[in-house]
Amino acid sequence: MSVAAEAGRQRRRLTLSGLVQGVGMRPFVYRLARELDLAGRVSNGPEGVIIEAEGDASALAAFEIRLKRECPPQADIVDCSVESVPAVGERNFRVAASRADGAVAPFALPDLAPCPDCLRELFDPGDRRFRYPFVSCTHCGPRYSILDALPFDRERTAMAGFPLCAECIEEYRDPSDRRFHAQTTCCPNCGPTLALWDAAGRTLAHGDEAMLQAVERLRQGQVLALQGVGGFQLLVDAADEKAVQRLRERKHRPHKPLALMVADLAAARELCDVTDAETRLLTSSAAPIVLLRRRDASGSIASGIAPGQNHLGLMLPASPVHHLLARDFGAPLVCTSGNRGNEPICIAPEEAQQRLAGIADGFLVHDRPIRQPLDDSVLRIADGKPLMLRRARGYVPRPVTLDADTPPILAAGGHLKNTVAYADGGRVILSQHLGDLDTAESLDRHRATAGLLPCLFGRPPRSVACDLHPDYAAGRWAEAAGLPLRRVPHHLAHALACMAEHSLKPPLLAVTWDGLGLGEDGTLWGGEFLRIAPDGHRRIAGLLPLCLPGGERAIKDPRRSALSVLYALHGEQTPDYLPATLEPRFKPADLTALLRLLQTGTRSPGCSSAGRLFDAAASLLGLCQDVSFEGQAAMALEASAEQSGEGDGTTYPMPVIDGEPKRLDWRPLFRALLDDHAAGVPAAVLAFRFHASLAAAITDVALAEPISTVALAGGCFQNRLLLELCAERLRNAGLRVYWPEQIPPNDGGLALGQIAAATFSEELLTCV
């Protein structure tokens, strides 16, 4: 019998999977083991963190309990497998070298905003990292944006090119230091360096002088391109009307709201009302952009920041560089994506200098490479819970857990707000927001991300999934992959994404409302009610189709949807019923041509889109006639409705027309809306009634079905007012209601739904 056995010592091997690398888990395990007088070792491996602990039984039991209870705040132990192994008589505990071989677990940590300790060092004149813009530790700093491969060790990140100096090595090896085995640790002597370039790419300054000169350029009204955590951002003084307008003109972004960065929570509260739930989002380690209700006193910012909107998109600094800029500038800064319209964000200085030529007056760059491009995430609070609008930095690549395992599969996503997804086993990695696939640069980014996810998180895919639409660029990529291909209907994918996030089981009713998507019958859908059961799904109802004069052009012209509504109400007499909000917006020849398209049905496909009804209402009420970005008209309608407070309780009728499927008839709604508008009812009141009427109609359809659960999905449910009105009515009617929260309800969640389709039976996926 061995000495170890005689002494009653036992040994356990624990394998931790989840978000356990890059969070200080190994230092935590080391300290805990030493405290409990355990011997052994801890190391990183592709599958997670591997621990071998040896000691008496009571100490090992305490170790397992405290391991889960006291783990680092950013850690998330999803699974902890434990097995007994022979004791070997070790007397010390150590951090062992990482192992790179073996199966990869689908877990990597998102980027983390600076922790309080690092911020104290950043602004402490007596600290050796005073004003060093790359300060980090085991609790914060870049993670996914610098990752080359797993396990997460310095040599497999963009920090590999920055060898530690003697002082940093001492901290890295000191178990009592919070930088013990901190893979991103560095200092001014050994880490990345800032540089300021002019518009031509000439270096003007380095280090802190670069920061000071950049701030001065912002004070002068210049547009600054900043190399942030996951890519470039464009910054200007938010109070400078001319600078904001200059940025809009150069970026060809005339109306879409611009996000703001403020130094701290107090500065955010000067501009907006901030609830407790919104405070938690703003101050979280993800540091996202949060849509907040603007205060009347927010006139200190330029009027062109968010024209016509009641909300501002605000973020707190996401990195030490951002903290220095925000503190030094001392006022709100516009902080928007560093790209041209419809292109992905730039990630390399040379790329930015080329692609942002003519937009940026200067470039604040650094020499730490960005491996994964990451836009800022965007959220809002709806019904007291987070509602994800754009999922990227701070949230990706946290996985979504499925209820069933899948072989390795890759999903191509949709065409707009594209993301791709990968699953191997029971977890899905949904990529960061990649944008609309309308440019060569976007397609390149899509292909690169689709190739990267299997390399980082598993094995090569055995199949691919994509949207039903034959002309989506993502679908063409999937076809060319040469693997077994499954096409998942657009609106079913929306429903399945919500079901996957919340682990919902059929039967249920999915209300999938959005702009447009190809339906399973070959027509354009967008206002659907899908009854999903184990033996198949069925489109039980949809909105009455609306014709789109001019086809795709109508999607970008709310006036055409408005005219189509009027034609549905009045036919040949439509010119006599043009409201004052619309009549001046048409040239006589254009009006005649569009009416002819509607009369003949030429180039006027029908669609059951809820999004087009929002466009029509916004146009008829005079709130939005021309759009420069997707969803602009619907945002204007929502903003107007919010001005009316809680509404007056009035809803307009939307009767159900029997058939297969049943149709919700929106014509009585619009007839009443137009009558009240002509009678002088304020547009804000009518906008609220429009939202309330849709929510009432959704509830009526749901109550007619023998179900107890409703899922709300699709881009229309980015609308906080519509979502909350629906949720309230459905709950009051005794139904359980769910919607995507951590995954976007818009097309950014389609890839998850396409993956989820692989976990459901063929019967459920069959349209009956």
Side-chain angles (χ1 to χ4, degrees), residues 385 708-712 726-728 730-731 735-739:
K385 293 179 283 190
S708 59
T709 303
V710 178
L712 306 174
C726 287
E728 181 181 19
L730 291 166
R731 280 197 296 260
L735 300 175
R736 295 189 297 271
V737 58
Y738 299 88
W739 57 88

Side-chain angles (χ1 to χ4, degrees), residues 77-78 110 116 126 213 230 312 371 380 404 453 510 513 532 665 750:
I77 301 175
V78 174
Q213 289 190 27
L312 295 174
R371 302 302 195 210
R380 71 189 313 178
L453 294 184
W513 282 20
I532 300 178
D665 190 351
L750 285 175

Side-chain angles (χ1 to χ4, degrees), residues 6-305:
E6 287 178 355
R9 293 172 68 83
Q10 299 178 9
R11 191 175 181 94
R12 303 278 189 274
R13 179 181 293 128
L14 298 85
T15 302
L16 310 181
S17 65
L19 298 177
V20 293
Q21 295 185 11
V23 293
M25 181 62 75
R26 287 177 297 173
F28 162 71
V29 169
Y30 175 90
R31 296 185 189 105
L32 180 60
R34 294 289 295 268
E35 180 185 335
L36 294 173
D37 197 26
L38 295 173
R41 62 178 182 268
V42 59
S43 64
N44 276 344
E47 66 271 49
V49 171
I50 304 94
I51 306 165
E52 289 200 10
E54 182 172 327
D56 63 56
S58 61
L60 287 169
F63 178 76
E64 290 185 34
I65 293 171
R66 293 180 61 184
L67 185 67
K68 299 174 183 178
R69 189 177 63 202
E70 301 174 14
C71 68
Q74 299 300 334
D76 181 7
I77 301 175
V78 174
D79 185 55
C80 175
S81 66
V82 183
E83 60 178 318
S84 295
V85 295
V88 298
E90 275 188 286
R91 295 300 173 185
N92 295 312
F93 198 92
R94 60 194 171 90
V95 177
S98 296
R99 200 187 77 250
D101 62 304
V104 177
F107 295 101
L109 202 69
D111 296 86
L112 305 171
C115 69
D117 288 331
C118 283
L119 286 179
R120 278 193 289 273
E121 292 174 343
L122 183 67
F123 293 109
D124 179 3
D127 194 277
R128 73 187 189 91
R129 291 185 175 89
F130 174 56
R131 293 186 61 83
Y132 181 58
F134 303 97
V135 58
S136 69
C137 69
T138 53
H139 305 304
C140 67
R143 296 294 190 268
Y144 188 56
S145 64
I146 62 169
L147 182 64
D148 286 318
L150 292 171
F152 186 83
D153 288 301
R154 194 180 186 93
E155 62 267 24
R156 283 177 284 273
T157 73
M159 293 300 294
F162 299 94
L164 294 175
C165 66
E167 288 180 284
C168 286
I169 287 176
E170 185 177 349
E171 294 171 334
Y172 184 87
R173 294 174 176 172
D174 182 358
S176 67
D177 196 289
R178 80 175 193 282
R179 291 191 172 90
F180 180 50
H181 281 268
Q183 303 305 314
T184 60
T185 192
C186 57
C187 75
N189 296 322
C190 63
T193 304
L194 281 182
L196 180 67
W197 294 357
D198 66 12
R202 293 183 292 263
T203 301
L204 304 176
H206 288 97
D208 201 42
E209 182 59 28
M211 174 67 68
L212 297 174
Q213 289 190 27
V215 169
E216 184 56 33
R217 282 175 169 256
L218 288 168
R219 295 191 191 286
Q220 295 170 5
Q222 293 190 15
V223 178
L224 180 71
L226 168 67
Q227 188 177 0
V229 176
F232 274 81
Q233 299 159 311
L234 293 167
L235 278 61
V236 296
D237 180 355
D240 189 331
E241 294 278 4
K242 292 182 179 179
V244 171
Q245 186 58 32
R246 191 179 304 119
L247 174 61
R248 286 195 174 280
E249 291 172 355
R250 292 178 181 180
K251 201 177 176 185
H252 303 292
R253 184 174 171 169
H255 305 113
K256 192 173 183 179
L258 297 166
L260 300 180
M261 179 176 68
V262 293
D264 50 34
L265 197 56
R269 287 177 170 144
E270 290 180 7
L271 296 176
C272 297
D273 296 322
V274 187
T275 66
D276 290 344
E278 290 162 344
T279 296
R280 288 191 291 273
L281 281 182
L282 280 172
T283 58
S284 70
S285 63
I289 297 169
V290 182
L291 298 189
L292 304 170
R293 182 85 179 195
R294 66 190 301 171
R295 302 181 63 186
D296 293 337
S298 63
S300 59
I301 60 173
S303 59
I305 296 294

